[in-house]
Amino acid sequence: MTATAATPATVIQIADSVVAEINAADLSKKNITAARLYVPDFDLEDMKELRVSVVPREVEYLPLDRATNKYHATIDVAVQKKFSKGDAKEIDPLVYFVEEIADYFRLKRLNSYVAARCIKVENSVLYSTEHWTQFNQFTSLLTLTFELAK
């Protein structure tokens, strides 16, 4: 089977579905628009607004049977915002927002790609100390792993 513009790679379909889910979800932060990117590269000035970037990161193919693979797609979700003071009043709502996204996807089947189910959610970077000290920027990274048979 040959991929065309009409049929994007499975990992891209999953990432686009994650974007749609975040944008449609009833989360504490309103008026944000998640976007699928390959490399989230923003000017520091752009970071005054809350940014949610969805990045397809990795694909793993595991044999399921002779004709089918178990497919694991890893998607990163970055939540970023420049802060002024970096105190609890400013940062706690961002940490809560990341947790809301994590809770939303835990064991969830994607509405627009129901074959894929989220089997693992990690928040290994609660906040990047490098971004904190260098840019006065909160950056948290969620990693979502979706599984499907293909």
Side-chain angles (χ1 to χ4, degrees), residues 15-136:
D16 286 343
S17 295
V18 168
V19 168
E21 297 270 345
I22 291 170
N23 290 339
D26 185 22
L27 302 170
S28 62
K29 297 290 182 192
K30 308 295 181 198
N31 303 320
I32 59 109
T33 303
R36 179 175 60 85
L37 304 167
Y38 285 104
V39 179
D41 185 23
F42 302 107
D43 291 330
L44 209 48
E45 190 65 28
D46 296 335
M47 300 312 293
K48 290 180 181 176
E49 300 297 321
L50 179 64
R51 300 276 179 182
V52 178
S53 304
V54 175
V55 180
R57 187 179 76 181
E58 184 176 88
V59 177
E60 181 180 26
Y61 300 90
L62 303 166
L64 189 59
D65 58 35
R66 287 182 175 195
T68 311
N69 284 317
K70 187 185 296 184
Y71 183 95
H72 287 171
T74 304
I75 308 292
D76 284 337
V77 178
V79 175
Q80 299 175 287
K81 186 173 189 321
K82 185 168 175 51
F83 57 78
S84 54
K85 294 180 183 175
D87 58 8
K89 181 180 176 186
E90 197 173 11
I91 302 302
D92 286 358
L94 297 172
V95 173
Y96 178 72
F97 179 62
V98 171
E99 184 178 285
E100 280 183 300
I101 295 172
D103 287 345
Y104 180 84
F105 282 103
R106 193 176 63 80
L107 298 177
K108 179 170 182 42
R109 286 203 181 273
L110 294 168
N111 292 327
S112 60
Y113 203 91
V114 293
R117 182 173 65 100
C118 186
I119 60 165
K120 186 176 182 183
V121 179
E122 293 178 89
N123 190 197
S124 57
V125 180
L126 184 61
Y127 61 92
S128 166
T129 54
E130 182 180 322
H131 285 194
W132 189 286
T133 56
Q134 289 182 5
F135 309 122
N136 285 356

